[in-house]
Amino acid sequence: MIEVRELRREFKVATSKGLRRRYKTVTAVDDVTFGVEAGEAVGYVGPNGAGKSTTIKMLTGILVPTSGHVRVNGVDPSRQRRDLARRIGVVFGQRSQLWWDLPLRDSFDLLRSIYRVPAADHRDRLDECVELLGLRGFLATPVRQLSLGQRMRGEITAALLHAPELLVLDEPTIGLDLESKERLREFLADINARRGTTLLLTTHDLDDIERLCPRLMVIDHGRVLADGPLDELRAEVTPERELVIDLREPGPPPDVPGVTAVRSEANGLRHHLTFRRVETTAAQLITRVVSRVEVHDLAVVEPQIDDVIRKLYQRQAGQARASVES
Ligand SMILES: Nc1ncnc2c1ncn2[C@@H]1O[C@H](COP(=O)(O)OP(=O)(O)OP(=O)(O)O)[C@@H](O)[C@H]1O
Ligand SMILES: [Mg+2]
């Protein structure tokens, strides 16, 4: 569905303050290579300025690459932008594709004529979105009067009316409240599972990834730092897992091979233990622990996704320093 090789985009930016203009080149996307298969749901994350939106703009034909190869659904996005528009849906959380002064429903009608969608298909797809995204109450409201969350639901509907095989979303949940976010995630997960619509989304909300994307791509300074299933990345960067136990009676942490006691709380009632995931399974460990002490309750804590990503950034920063020093 998406094929990207050595994709690069530079920007010339003015740096002068005085009379003489000087320019420097900013490399927003630095020879990025990846592929996305039909039906996948991929999360594209990275800090501000990492190059996410620039990548998305090249994939959707809004920006021309400086160099490299990009094909989306077999099409060169910047050369065949109209062709591509018929086959993909795009949502930018910070921009609108709706007509500001018209009722929401009229924007959908206009899109139907632009994409020449047969009336019956249009009705079916619109009905489905109205139902699943709860649009009924504000179809007659001018877009400018919609709340952010209402408008985003409208944007996603607009992007799906021509039944694209690929939906690209740049920060679709930005600024939404918890319930609206959850509703949107559920909807996207559903169209990915049921219709097989491929999803590529950027986000700063890692719950989006946890909920929606089996595959995570992490980018920083225009380079891909990691690409793979969330669980594998987690195991790779955080080899230790944590076991938290609550004892029946206060006491020292159990002395179990393969386990390090890192911290105690509640006067020795609670202990935090860590163990390496390659050496022991949680089940083996729990068996050993309960044979030594009387346990009231316990929990295995996986590192949070933001810890995983922070570690990936740190690792990258460490490697960059090492290569400068050597
Ligand atoms: N039109 C432009 N002209 C000059 N520089 C640009 C332009 N667009 C992006 N950049 C620069 O390219 C880099 C990557 O920007 P990009 O918008 O792709 O980041 P991002 O990962 O989407 O960040 P954010 O999380 O803040 O949305 C930044 O350094 C940015 O300043
Ligand atoms: Mg961006």
Side-chain angles (χ1 to χ4, degrees), residues 22 42 44 70 91 137 148 176 213 220 230 278 293 302 316:
R22 281 172 201 272
V42 181
Y44 197 39
V70 50
V91 175
L148 178 63
L176 302 189
C213 303
D220 193 11
L230 179 55
V278 288
V293 286
E302 288 288 351
Q316 164 76 5

Side-chain angles (χ1 to χ4, degrees), residues 1-2 56-57 59-62 72-73 81-93 97 111 115 154-172 188 191 195 197-202:
M1 186 60 73
I2 300 177
I56 300 282
K57 286 175 187 164
L59 291 176
T60 53
I62 296 169
V72 175
N73 216 335
R81 202 173 152 183
R82 271 160 182 276
D83 246 12
L84 190 67
R86 283 179 208 289
R87 304 160 78 162
I88 69 172
V90 185
V91 175
F92 283 96
Q97 59 188 318
L111 288 166
Y115 292 116
E155 301 283 352
I156 290 187
T157 303
L160 287 173
L161 287 174
H162 57 295
E165 290 155 72
L166 169 67
L167 184 61
V168 182
L169 308 121
D170 196 358
E171 302 195 37
L188 292 172
I191 61 155
R195 283 198 211 153
T197 309
T198 311
L199 298 180
L200 176 66
L201 67 104
T202 79

Side-chain angles (χ1 to χ4, degrees), residues 26 37 42 62 79 92 96 120 141 155 181 201 214 224 241 252 262:
V26 174
E37 300 293 327
V42 181
I62 296 169
R79 295 229 167 96
F92 283 96
S96 182
T141 308
E155 301 283 352
K181 279 184 185 181
L201 67 104
V224 176
R241 297 166 84 188
V262 285

Side-chain angles (χ1 to χ4, degrees), residues 2 25 36 54 73-74 81 89 102 133 137 143 146 156 158 188 224 242 248 272 285 300 311:
I2 300 177
T25 304
V36 175
T54 306
N73 216 335
R81 202 173 152 183
L102 299 181
L133 286 169
V143 171
L146 297 177
I156 290 187
L188 292 172
V224 176
E242 190 177 336
R248 282 201 188 281
H272 295 257
L285 200 71
V300 179
K311 288 229 166 87

Side-chain angles (χ1 to χ4, degrees), residues 11 13 26 28 47-54 171 204:
F11 292 106
V13 291
V26 174
N48 292 136
K52 304 180 296 295
S53 295
T54 306
E171 302 195 37
H204 288 289

